[in-house]
Amino acid sequence: MPLLHVLSNSDRITMIRNAVWTLSNLCRGKSPPADFAKIVHGLPILARLLEYTDADVLSDTCWAIGYLSEGPNDKIQAVIDSGVCRRLVELLLHPQQNVSTAALRAVGNIVTGDDQQTQVILGYNALPRISHLLHSTAETIKKESCWTISNIAAGNREQIQALINANIFRS
């Protein structure tokens, strides 16, 4: 895919911003949805883009990953296998709200998967970060945090206990 070539070979931040925004839109799943078998090849590049410091690149990269992780568990597993989960959890507390919102959506989509997929996110110590986000002044972040917590609460006994132990439900 030529777009992935641009993302892999450009050093110009404006070009990278435009290309990752385009990739994010392709991953979005509008009608007709992009062919996942083709788009999934962009995951290693998205994983690399998560290491940028530019907020626009980070936000659009997280949105692309979030879109790719919507749906069945095989898509979620492809995202997990790309190695992005640790960085997504780190970005939950990014100072730019657009980055943390996008990272939260991606994390929230991953925890809709099976118990093992949810556990990957919990293994990166996501609960204290999600708990912190519940105190955000942004309603969108609070709503996404609650949705993510509800998906974790649908998990196994240990995952529910982890929510309790993290004092998520304290007043």
Side-chain angles (χ1 to χ4, degrees):
M1 174 184 287
L3 181 62
L4 298 180
H5 179 74
V6 169
L7 283 167
S8 295
N9 296 302
S10 180
D11 292 329
R12 290 185 37 224
I13 192 67
T14 55
M15 180 69 75
I16 292 168
R17 284 178 183 153
N18 286 329
V20 75
W21 177 79
T22 302
L23 182 58
S24 176
N25 283 328
L26 286 172
C27 294
R28 197 172 197 171
K30 295 286 185 178
S31 189
D35 182 356
F36 185 79
K38 292 179 181 171
I39 295 289
V40 73
H41 297 294
L43 275 169
I45 294 165
L46 291 170
R48 185 177 54 80
L49 291 172
L50 283 179
E51 299 306 322
Y52 275 65
T53 57
D54 183 81
D56 292 331
V57 170
L58 288 172
S59 177
D60 287 332
T61 300
C62 288
W63 280 116
I65 293 167
Y67 298 139
L68 289 173
S69 59
E70 288 176 349
N73 290 356
D74 60 323
K75 289 184 176 184
I76 294 170
Q77 193 59 50
V79 168
I80 291 170
D81 291 345
S82 73
V84 298
C85 293
R86 174 197 53 81
R87 184 65 174 144
L88 290 172
V89 170
E90 289 173 359
L91 291 172
L92 290 175
L93 297 182
H94 192 277
Q96 295 287 325
Q97 182 180 328
N98 61 332
V99 175
S100 57
T101 300
L104 184 56
R105 173 58 66 92
V107 165
N109 283 342
I110 293 167
V111 300
T112 65
D114 63 31
D115 291 347
Q116 291 77 24
Q117 292 168 328
T118 298
Q119 195 59 45
V120 170
I121 294 296
L122 295 179
Y124 289 113
N125 205 26
L127 291 178
R129 292 168 182 267
I130 296 168
S131 179
H132 179 79
L133 292 174
L134 287 171
H135 301 289
S136 172
T137 57
E139 290 298 315
T140 304
I141 289 182
K142 286 194 272 194
K143 179 182 167 205
E144 290 285 331
S145 297
C146 288
W147 175 71
T148 300
I149 291 165
S150 75
N151 288 321
I152 296 167
N156 63 34
R157 180 179 300 250
E158 291 79 19
Q159 291 164 345
I160 295 167
Q161 188 61 52
L163 285 170
I164 293 167
N165 292 349
N167 292 316
I168 295 283
F169 303 110
R170 73 178 186 275
S171 57

